[in-house]
C-alpha cells in the first residue's frame, strides 16, 4: 500500500519518467528528515482543483490526503501509478538521496521539467522565478 501510494504521488508530480527516481529521492529524504511531504497533487486530490499555483487556502485544506497538513503519506493512492513510478518508489535516485535534495517544483508550464533544490533558500528562489509563469498559465487555462 505504501509503495503504491508513493508511486501515485510520483506519477502526479513528474511529467517525465526520467524525473521519477529524483522525485522519489526527495520524498525519501523528506520522510527521513521527519518533514511533511508537501505534495501539491495530494493537496488538490479531494478539492477538484487543476492548476499549478496553489493558494494558501488550497494547501491548508484539512483532509487525510493533503500532505501539507498531515505527517507521512496520504490515506491512500491518488491515482493508478505506472510500473515506472512503482519502480521509482522502490528505487529512488541514490545520488539525489546522498546529496540531500529536499525540494522540487515545476519550471515552465508545459515543459514537463522540474527544478530540484537542496535548501529551502534554493527552492524559494525557484518558486519565485517560476510562480509568475504558473499563474499566467493558470489564467490562460481558466484553472479552477
Amino acid at each position: 500500500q505504501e509503495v503504491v501510494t508513493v508511486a501515485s504521488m510520483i506519477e502526479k508530480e513528474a511529467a517525465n519518467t526520467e524525473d521519477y527516481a529524483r522525485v522519489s529521492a526527495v520524498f525519501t529524504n523528506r520522510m527521513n528528515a521527519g518533514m511533511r511531504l508537501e505534495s501539491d497533487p495530494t493537496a488538490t486530490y479531494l478539492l477538484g482543483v487543476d492548476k499549478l499555483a496553489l493558494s494558501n487556502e488550497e494547501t491548508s485544506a484539512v483532509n487525510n490526503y493533503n500532505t501539507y497538513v498531515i505527517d507521512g503519506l496520504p490515506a491512500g493512492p491518488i491515482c493508478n501509478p505506472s510500473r515506472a513510478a512503482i519502480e521509482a518508489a522502490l528505487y529512488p535516485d541514490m545520488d539525489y538521496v546522498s546529496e540531500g535534495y529536499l525540494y522540487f517544483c515545476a519550471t515552465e508550464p508545459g515543459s514537463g521539467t522540474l527544478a530540484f533544490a537542496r535548501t529551502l533558500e534554493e527552492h524559494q528562489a525557484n518558486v519565485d522565478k517560476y510562480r509568475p509563469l504558473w499563474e499566467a498559465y493558470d489564467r490562460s487555462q481558466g484553472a479552477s
Side-chain angles (χ1 to χ4, degrees):
Q1 172 89 12
E2 289 179 0
V3 169
V4 173
T5 298
V6 171
S8 72
M9 294 168 58
I10 293 166
E11 187 82 35
K12 288 294 192 176
E13 287 283 11
N16 297 313
T17 56
E18 56 268 12
D19 281 333
Y20 282 10
R22 294 179 195 131
V23 169
S24 181
V26 168
F27 289 152
T28 297
N29 286 342
R30 290 180 75 88
M31 285 188 279
N32 288 343
M35 299 171 70
R36 287 192 171 151
L37 297 177
E38 297 184 349
S39 169
D40 287 4
T42 68
T44 61
Y45 179 64
L46 295 180
L47 299 179
V49 173
D50 184 20
K51 62 183 190 177
L52 294 176
L54 300 183
S55 69
N56 288 338
E57 181 181 352
E58 291 156 347
T59 58
S60 63
V62 178
N63 64 63
N64 290 333
Y65 284 89
N66 186 352
T67 58
Y68 278 89
V69 298
I70 63 165
D71 295 328
L73 296 174
I78 58 171
C79 73
N80 185 15
S82 64
R83 178 183 181 101
I86 293 169
E87 289 175 359
L90 291 168
Y91 306 107
D93 183 308
M94 292 312 293
D95 288 335
Y96 273 53
V97 170
S98 66
E99 292 172 20
Y101 281 89
L102 291 170
Y103 305 94
F104 62 87
C105 69
T107 60
E108 296 87 0
S111 72
T113 59
L114 298 173
F116 291 87
R118 292 179 185 93
T119 68
L120 181 57
E121 294 76 22
E122 291 172 348
H123 175 63
Q124 193 58 56
N126 288 334
V127 169
D128 291 345
K129 177 179 179 179
Y130 295 111
R131 186 177 255 309
L133 301 176
W134 306 336
E135 290 169 345
Y137 179 81
D138 289 345
R139 283 190 302 275
S140 75
Q141 299 298 303
S144 56

